Amino acid sequence: MGSEVGQPIRQDTRQVEFVVNGTARSAPAGSTVADLLKALGLAPERVAVERNLDIVERARFADTALAAGDRIEVIQFVGGGAGADGKGAAADPLTIAGVTFRSRLWVGTGKYKDFAETRAAIEASGADCVTVAVRRVNITDPGKENLLDYLDPKRYKILPNTAGCYTAEDAIRTARLARAAGVSDLVKLEVIGDEKTLLPDNQATLEAAAVLVKEGFIVLPYITDDVIVAKRCEDLGCAAVMPLAAPIGTGLGVCNPHTIRLIREAVRCPVVVDAGVGTASDVAVAMELGVDAVLLNSAIAGARDPIRMAVAMRHAVIAGREAFLAGRIPRKPYATASSPPEGMIAAAS
């Protein structure tokens, strides 16, 4: 009904109160998720939104109204865990669940001094797959730089990581939010079981993997170097397995090459060694065991010269792969001369 003649039109000045990323906020009644993102200065294509534990599809941002008491989570990708330019890598691509990687070196994006150094190191490494952590948007500083301002998703394969999750439920929820952000179905599944060692909780990882595989994710689980767990991950439908070389960030290298080799022999899916390498020789050792790729972060980001170390890692993964394909000579307990005895001067005199 219209207003009476001469009477002003009343406007709805009510406010609805809700929580965004743990912070209380309010907005005019009738506001939508799209309105909220605009008020926060956030680009809709760079974030994912969860409303009361349900993912809001990006296409519905504009018609999803905010209600009193809503709990909203807005997430983005942050540093966390260029195509290869070496002929060895380009001629020997790796394909996982229909996704082709030109480089067998995968790198994380955390621990760098800034995003510019992150980009420079990744370019120097030759990697075309980078891992990112899924974190809340800082709504108090929405203008803060975004990692994806420096990494073009059209150039790099973005691998969201459920880093920091300690339960299967949290990992599943994080993976769903990552996919809602619109990057891909790929997910590095990480469920940590212990704060001191940061070793994976294999049982919780298997539980989460079963759910995510059924939901169509390309699941790459981070596990201990356990043959049985690797086989169970494969049986669940995981696209690859990611056994650790050593605990995260330790730089200890491949602590148990025997079990890594056994995992490679036991599963048909790709094997990506993840975590614990410290330098280029560690990467070469892992690749010589026959694994399909190596994922690392701290070994580059924590080096005295990250850019130079990234170059070293690029060469190491190619050298290790080529050595594996070439086939090493057998180990022997005694020396064997490489020169023939025939025609020796001493024998002829």
Side-chain angles (χ1 to χ4, degrees), residues 127-202:
D128 62 344
C129 178
V130 296
T131 61
V132 294
V134 180
R135 293 293 184 269
R136 283 175 166 176
V137 169
N138 181 0
I139 62 174
T140 63
D141 185 13
K144 189 175 181 180
E145 290 181 307
N146 187 297
L147 178 63
L148 294 187
D149 293 331
Y150 288 80
L151 299 178
D152 183 358
K154 295 181 181 179
R155 180 179 180 187
Y156 298 100
K157 296 171 182 66
I158 307 299
L159 177 58
N161 182 3
T162 64
C165 293
Y166 283 81
T167 67
E169 292 76 14
D170 283 347
I172 293 167
R173 181 185 178 194
T174 300
R176 289 169 176 165
L177 277 165
R179 181 160 68 176
V183 176
S184 74
D185 293 327
L186 283 167
V187 62
K188 177 190 167 186
L189 176 60
E190 183 175 312
V191 186
I192 299 301
D194 178 78
E195 292 185 4
K196 182 177 181 180
T197 65
L198 298 182
L199 290 171
D201 181 335
N202 289 328

Side-chain angles (χ1 to χ4, degrees), residues 55-74:
I55 302 293
V56 180
E57 296 179 8
R58 188 167 293 146
R60 299 196 59 193
F61 283 178
D63 58 15
T64 299
L66 300 172
D70 276 351
R71 300 193 69 85
I72 307 293
E73 293 288 341
V74 185

Side-chain angles (χ1 to χ4, degrees), residues 7 27 36 43 46 53 67 90-91 99 148 171 174-175 212 244 264 284 315:
Q7 296 294 321
L36 172 62
R46 292 291 180 86
L53 300 183
V99 181
L148 294 187
T174 300
L212 294 175
L244 55 79
R264 175 63 286 172
H315 292 303

